[in-house]
Amino acid sequence: MACVASYPTVVHHDMVWFWPNSDPQYRNIFDKKKPPFIPELDDPAFTKVMAIRDIPYGYDILIENLMDPAHLPYAHYGLALTKPFKEQRDREGGIPLDFTLKKLGIEGFDAELEFGYCKYQAPCILSIHADVDSGTKMERKIKEIGSKNWQRACFLPCKSDALVVGYRRWFNKYADGEVDWRGRFSGDLPPTPPREQLMDRYWTHVVNCRSCSRAYKSLNAMATVLEVVAIGLIGVVAAATKQGAVSAAGRTRLAILGSVCYAVSRWLAHFVQKYFRYHGYNHSVPDKAMVFVQMFRLGVAP
């Protein structure tokens, strides 16, 4: 008879939390230790949108990315549809950000932001209370030089780097500079999956996102309709040529229209495949698909 480990679980903030230890002594652990509490998620005055996406890397990389709002105007240039700025900004919309770290300890830390505040609840809960996200910072390739040597290889002079600095300080002090994989991995992590798997968009996002899914279906339907129209027009031209029912100029116009419809349908199919299925993402280029989806959601003509 097969035995399945049973882990303590609880539903909190509409999410399922579990304690990663099946030892009976932890059976009632949630009576003593509650999951992190975020007041806004229980406040009906706030709009709450829940989303799930599986990404094949550790939570440490994800948290560090979220702690760096200064990279948004550059790494995701053109994605955010924001109102006009009052203050002077650079070409991409970035300005210096003033962050101050507070109360760093084993439980995490707090930080004051010029547009709000941030709370990091170790090891993997980050909440940012802000009105706008902006800033200036060059992209750091910390993963390439190793998490333990990042301070030597990267110069972080900006105040907007305070959250990343604080996170790495916590990580080195309380987690020995690495994720505790509970014995699942030893030494190096498994090989990095192929880019097609890493950059898959359909199964990791589009299929679960209402706006993206609607745009995906609409564009596919449009491509199919255009292809059918193109085939129909070519058929009409062939029949008209055989019966001589349409002038040569008329047949030419129909043939050109059919060719245009077919070319547009192929372009749409390529667009859908590239931006809604798999795209070798380039940080320096605006994410056209996501901009399109935001426009689609807002009812703005692209």
Side-chain angles (χ1 to χ4, degrees), residues 17 38-39 157 240 264:
W17 298 74
I38 302 175
V264 173

Side-chain angles (χ1 to χ4, degrees), residues 3-63:
C3 295
V4 178
S6 177
Y7 297 94
T9 59
V10 65
V11 176
H12 177 67
H13 290 326
D14 293 334
M15 294 179 282
V16 177
W17 298 74
F18 76 97
W19 189 264
N21 195 318
S22 60
D23 192 297
Q25 66 174 310
Y26 298 108
R27 181 176 302 169
N28 299 316
I29 186 64
F30 288 116
D31 294 337
K32 304 175 183 178
K33 189 174 180 64
K34 302 294 184 182
F37 179 70
I38 302 175
E40 288 78 7
L41 294 181
D42 277 349
D43 189 343
F46 285 83
T47 299
K48 180 172 61 176
V49 178
M50 306 294 288
I52 298 174
R53 184 171 184 181
D54 294 325
I55 305 177
Y57 55 66
Y59 77 84
D60 56 324
I61 301 298
L62 174 62
I63 292 295

Side-chain angles (χ1 to χ4, degrees), residues 223 226-235 237 250-268:
L226 287 171
E227 187 172 356
V228 170
V229 169
I231 294 174
L233 288 173
I234 293 173
V237 170
R251 294 197 299 270
T252 300
R253 286 193 290 270
L254 289 176
I256 292 174
L257 180 59
S259 298
V260 170
C261 287
Y262 182 78
V264 173
S265 73
R266 292 299 84 205
W267 180 87
L268 278 175

